[in-house]
């Protein structure tokens, strides 16, 4: 079996490689990121170097066109390597349906950015990039799930917000536990960053030692473990890292060591297709990518022009967005108390206790004492814009308020909501309700069409009118507005864009 890891390269060969003109470099020269190397940098006070190296490596990994030598794709059967369509029918030895972990779809691409591409690399995807999933291997197209590609910018923001919200909720549960121990029973209404997550009812079932039964049936929009899971249309992944290794497996057919150990779960003859360091690098890259912006902000810094009339329409739309109830789910802004992103995370529920392959992350050098961290307000490398007065504006970094606190305009409450039958998936493999979705962030939404989980909405107006279920009141209020007011809301959403200084200038 081949391994991507090249091991020690004899100096003579290395010299030859180094003196080869860049253009001759072929795919095979991508070497795996060594987690131990990142750890060494952190241990020697070079944490920022570790971060920048990981970011660069993640950049390369996200755009790299992997080849069979790297183990891209999978042996799906019939001698084929890729499929856009789940193939539960190919269930022979080593074929699609026998891969482990169980495939949901694919393999269907050779790079991350072949889907995450609109309007530029790391963005969302058109409907041609929709992913088709059959997690339960029904083999029945009427049960398949269709998923539109989301954008990958500034993913530290949702993860840090979710981490801070979960910590708030854990503390509320623990103080309720104390109350239940002393009083016998209590009910606590859970609130994090002003978002309500329903109630927990705790009943003491033993006094010494105190044991408490916790009734989680009245929770709203969150799992019983109180871990806020901000990623995926369904809100079923807590971390960038866990989403990444699943995406690598399902979409690219690249099985990370932390997913399958030294096994060849997709029977393509290659093992160790992504190292622990590779997954760390991809995670830090997406975490530290430039944040979505607004045209209002770009105009303030003279990067674009907005007429007074345009600014007034956007401001009016922003106001209507709140009065019509959109902001009750798409919460326009939240504070991040500690804007330091850490990989691995230091928050319970957001760091792997065991990797999916059953191994201990520490055994692979992934531990919180050598975590690679960055300051979300200063360190994101992209979109540092040179201003006319010679100053630099960290447009790619997290916004701060007057007190230097991180302000995240992510437009989500990080809760799952029932969106009604019209938006329902045909099946419910996760068991959370087929019409239940995480409030999708509207950061950058003006640049990420088509919209909704399956990309059915070709305009923002359609996307809003498709809301139902818990969003029905707000949708009806929108539909009842004057045409001019409805257009103002759309204009406001269109002002929330993805922006890359590299691409635009
Ligand atoms: C074949 C198209 C395709 C490819 C290739 C692809 N993705 Fe995705 N990606 C998607 C789709 C579709 C979603 C939404 C999936 C969902 O929510 O169920 C998504 C969502 C994500 C998310 C979650 C973002 C969020 O805010 O919820 C992350 C992270 C991600 N992808 C990372 C990657 C990485 C890293 C790679 C390469 C290893 C990759 N993707 C390759 C289509 C793709
Ligand atoms: C009850 C919570 C809730 C309310 C209220 C709500 N939304 Fe949403 N919104 C969601 C959820 C959940 C999704 C994802 C639904 C899906 O993909 O099927 C979503 C998706 C969207 C999208 C598509 C985002 C994308 O990237 O595809 C837009 C645009 C949007 N909402 C705008 C609005 C506007 C404007 C309002 C007010 C008129 C509003 N929403 C009210 C929960 C809500």
């Amino acid at each position: 079996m081949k391994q991507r890891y090249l091991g020690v390269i004899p100096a003579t060969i290395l010299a030859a490689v180094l003196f080869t003109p860049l253009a001759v470099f072929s795919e095979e020269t991508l070497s795996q990121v060594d987690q131990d190397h990142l750890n060494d940098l952190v241990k020697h006070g070079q944490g920022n170097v570790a971060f920048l190296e990981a970011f660069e490596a993640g950049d390369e990994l996200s755009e790299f066109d992997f080849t069979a030598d790297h183990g891209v794709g999978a042996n799906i059967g019939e001698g084929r390597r890729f499929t856009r369509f789940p193939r539960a029918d190919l269930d022979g030895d080593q074929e699609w349906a026998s891969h482990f972990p169980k495939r949901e779809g694919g393999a269907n691409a050779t790079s991350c950015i072949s889907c995450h591409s609109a309007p530029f690399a790391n963005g969302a995807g058109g409907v041609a990039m929709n992913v088709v999933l059959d997690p339960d291997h029904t083999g029945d197209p009427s049960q398949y799930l269709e998923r539109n590609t989301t954008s990958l910018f500034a993913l530290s923001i949702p993860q840090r917000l979710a981490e801070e919200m979960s910590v708030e909720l854990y503390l509320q549960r623990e103080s309720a536990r104390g109350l239940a121990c002393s009083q016998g029973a209590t009910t606590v209404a859970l609130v994090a960053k002003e978002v309500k997550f329903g109630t927990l009812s705790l009943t003491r079932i033993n006094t010494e030692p105190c044991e408490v039964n916790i009734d989680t049936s009245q929770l709203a929009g969150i799992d019983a473990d109180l871990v806020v899971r901000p990623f995926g249309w369904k809100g079923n992944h807590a971390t960038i890292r866990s989403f990444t290794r699943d995406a690598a497996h399902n979409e690219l057919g690249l099985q990370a060591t932390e997913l399958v150990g030294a096994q060849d779960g997709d029977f393509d003859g290659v093992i160790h297709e992504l190292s622990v360091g590779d997954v760390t690098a991809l995670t830090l890259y997406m975490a530290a990518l430039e944040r979505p912006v607004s045209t209002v902000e770009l105009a303030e810094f003279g990067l674009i022009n907005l007429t007074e009339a345009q600014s007034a329409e956007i401001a009016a739309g922003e106001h209507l967005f709140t009065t019509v109830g959109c902001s009750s789910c798409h919460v326009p802004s939240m504070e991040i108390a500690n804007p330091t992103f850490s990989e691995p995370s230091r928050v319970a529920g957001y760091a792997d206790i065991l990797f999916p392959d059953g191994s201990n992350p520490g055994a692979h050098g992934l531990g919180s004492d050598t975590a690679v961290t960055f300051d979300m307000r200063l360190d994101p490398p992209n979109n540092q814009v040179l201003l006319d007065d010679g100053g630099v504006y960290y447009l790619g970094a997290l916004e701060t308020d007057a007190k230097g606190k991180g302000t995240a305009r992510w437009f989500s409450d990080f809760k799952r909501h029932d969106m009604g039958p019209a938006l329902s998936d045909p099946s419910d493999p996760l068991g959370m309700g087929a019409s239940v979705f995480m409030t999708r962030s509207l950061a950058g939404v003006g640049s990420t069409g088509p919209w909704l989980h399956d990309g059915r909405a070709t305009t923002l107006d359609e996307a809003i009118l498709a809301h139902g279920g818990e969003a029905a009141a707000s949708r009806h209020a929108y539909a009842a507005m004057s045409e001019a007011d409805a257009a103002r809301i759309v204009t406001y959403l269109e002002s929330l864009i993805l922006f890359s200084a590299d691409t635009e200038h």
Side-chain angles (χ1 to χ4, degrees), residues 432-462:
M432 59 170 74
S435 51
V436 171
F437 295 92
M438 163 72 49
T439 302
R440 191 69 218 164
S441 165
L442 302 180
V445 75
S447 305
T448 59
W451 295 274
L452 298 175
H453 65 269
D454 51 10
R456 70 176 68 181
T458 62
T459 64
L460 286 162
D461 180 57
E462 271 181 80

Side-chain angles (χ1 to χ4, degrees), residues 233 326 329-330 419 423 437-438 451-453 464 467 474:
W233 287 99
C326 312
C329 294
H330 298 285
M419 297 300 284
L423 275 182
F437 295 92
M438 163 72 49
W451 295 274
L452 298 175
H453 65 269
I464 301 166
H467 282 53
S474 170

